[in-house]
Amino acid sequence: MPPTGPQSADRALAILDAVADAAGPVSAKALARRTECSLSTAYHLLAPLTERGYLLRTPQGYVLGPRIPGLHRSLLRQLEPAPRMADLLTRLRRATGAEAYHTAYRGGLITVVDTTAPVTDEANPFTPGRETRAHATAHGKALLAELPRPLRRRYLAEHGMARLTGATITSAELLEAELSRVRGQGFALSVGEADPSYTCLAVALPRGRGDDGDAVHALSVSLPTGEFRRRPQEIRAALAQAAADCV
């Protein structure tokens, strides 16, 4: 008999993740192997996911279904700190020539909510979804700097401070000093800390914009380090103007 309860829910989510991470359609047999369950269990879990529109069955296998874009739109609606945030990101992209991002902290998680980077741009180091490299990114630093120290410590304890490049800060003491500088100068900078080829610059938005009062938001841009070094003041000014337009 297929599992029920929490184990069933966990496996259903694992199937959804496997389809989302795949480059193309995935067969039920392949999903059963990837989630380490029997083929009958896989079909048992695929049925409600398909019926509810989270997955779609094609002749080649399972792909993400029509419900998924709606979930992302709901996320944007719930976390959007200002009207027409997508338009603001587009203007920031046009002003800087760099990909622009809206990132948020809420409920102990940091999420890249939206970006101007095409989903097909595999070279871009930041994609929408959960961010686990906050200690090494400018948007992560901007958000962490806004949190009370106990929340910041809890976040870092849960997510760690992995060394991603030779420039990554992996000491809690050094990161605290860095975040103090972020608060003092009003922006956060990451030069090759998350990706050796990219620099990102971020600013936190004023507090109190989340519907539940718990969210903290940031705007950021990322671009190859060589490009950033040619015009840092121009990029910083454009980012500051975009943040001011959110008020």
Side-chain angles (χ1 to χ4, degrees), residues 64-229:
L64 292 179
R67 181 74 180 96
I68 301 302
L71 292 177
H72 187 243
R73 286 193 294 271
S74 295
L75 174 66
L76 294 178
R77 185 179 66 252
Q78 292 178 12
L79 279 178
E80 188 172 76
R84 301 193 304 273
M85 174 59 77
D87 292 342
L88 181 64
L89 292 178
T90 300
R91 294 200 305 271
L92 182 56
R93 170 72 175 82
R94 191 178 301 120
T96 61
E99 300 299 353
Y101 308 84
H102 164 211
T103 313
Y105 168 94
R106 186 171 69 165
L109 295 178
I110 289 178
T111 303
V112 179
V113 180
D114 201 6
T115 172
T116 58
V119 295
T120 55
D121 184 2
E122 297 182 357
N124 193 281
F126 311 115
T127 57
R130 186 173 176 177
E131 176 62 271
T132 60
R133 307 164 296 172
H135 64 293
T137 66
H139 51 255
K141 292 179 188 178
L143 293 169
L144 290 173
E146 292 294 304
L147 297 181
R149 189 163 185 171
L151 287 183
R152 185 163 60 244
R153 283 182 167 180
R154 185 184 309 165
Y155 179 90
L156 293 173
E158 291 177 355
H159 295 85
M161 299 176 64
R163 180 172 296 282
L164 305 172
T165 74
T168 306
I169 297 174
T170 58
S171 159
E173 183 178 348
L174 291 178
L175 183 62
E176 280 296 329
E178 172 75 357
L179 297 181
S180 178
R181 283 192 291 272
V182 169
R183 287 187 291 271
Q185 65 194 12
F187 65 88
L189 182 67
S190 170
V191 181
E193 295 177 46
D195 183 289
S197 302
Y198 278 79
T199 286
C200 51
L201 183 71
V203 293
L205 300 181
R207 279 181 169 274
R209 292 178 173 273
D211 289 343
D212 55 11
D214 179 47
V216 184
H217 300 267
L219 284 179
S220 62
V221 293
S222 74
L223 67 168
T225 295
E227 292 184 27
F228 174 80
R229 286 175 173 163

